[in-house]
Amino acid sequence: MDWKLELVFLPVSDVDRAKDFYVNKVGFNADFDERPSDSIRFVQLTPPGSACSICIGEGLIDAPPGTGSNLQLVVNDIKAAHDHLKNNGVDVSDVDVQDWGHFVYFADPDGNKWAVQYIPWRNTGQEAGQGSVQDARQNAR
């Protein structure tokens, strides 16, 4: 039996601001934005190519804004991901090259933290740890 993660709830203070950030700056798809009652607003946003979405809204969770779990996206081109975020006005870190992957980091307007990871050996057929960190750093530039 498969168990697939489909939806992660993210606490935000301003739903419209968060939706604008995720859709217009990060590039998520706006799948659903409905108000099933006066006290509930449900907004579902999905990263391109992902089977898992995030949910923001009103009346959904009790967690304070900005206290969501650290979330991680995986991409096949860390430089393109970095440039996309930076060019859209997201305060994104430089590329951080580690032996186990390359990362960039950002947070939404409420401080919910994200990591974007590129795993070099997934695209080359290499095993983890093959190739030098110096080669990886050169390729990330």
Side-chain angles (χ1 to χ4, degrees), residues 60-128:
L60 302 173
I61 57 175
D62 295 330
T67 61
S69 298
N70 291 344
L71 298 169
Q72 185 163 304
L73 300 164
V74 177
V75 297
N76 62 8
D77 186 333
I78 196 69
K79 181 157 179 20
H82 174 271
D83 292 349
H84 169 84
L85 293 168
K86 188 170 184 148
N87 292 339
N88 283 316
V90 176
D91 184 15
V92 63
S93 72
D94 291 334
V95 176
D96 177 19
V97 176
Q98 301 294 326
D99 288 339
W100 54 90
H102 308 178
F103 299 85
V104 295
Y105 307 95
F106 70 93
D108 72 12
D110 286 296
N112 293 301
K113 295 177 182 166
W114 289 84
V116 181
Q117 180 184 29
Y118 164 69
I119 303 170
W121 56 88
R122 280 192 180 166
N123 296 318
T124 64
Q126 292 180 341
E127 301 267 337

Side-chain angles (χ1 to χ4, degrees), residues 49-63:
S50 179
C52 185
S53 302
I54 62 169
C55 176
I56 58 176
E58 299 167 5
L60 302 173
I61 57 175
D62 295 330

Side-chain angles (χ1 to χ4, degrees), residues 10-91:
L10 205 57
V12 299
S13 61
D14 181 324
V15 178
D16 292 322
R17 177 182 71 176
K19 181 180 177 184
D20 178 67
F21 175 80
Y22 284 108
V23 171
N24 295 317
K25 292 190 177 198
V26 182
F28 286 17
N29 298 309
D31 302 323
F32 195 76
D33 186 345
E34 295 292 328
R35 232 182 225 293
S37 72
D38 290 341
S39 61
I40 296 177
R41 180 177 175 194
F42 181 89
V43 179
Q44 183 171 331
L45 310 169
T46 305
S50 179
C52 185
S53 302
I54 62 169
C55 176
I56 58 176
E58 299 167 5
L60 302 173
I61 57 175
D62 295 330
T67 61
S69 298
N70 291 344
L71 298 169
Q72 185 163 304
L73 300 164
V74 177
V75 297
N76 62 8
D77 186 333
I78 196 69
K79 181 157 179 20
H82 174 271
D83 292 349
H84 169 84
L85 293 168
K86 188 170 184 148
N87 292 339
N88 283 316
V90 176
D91 184 15

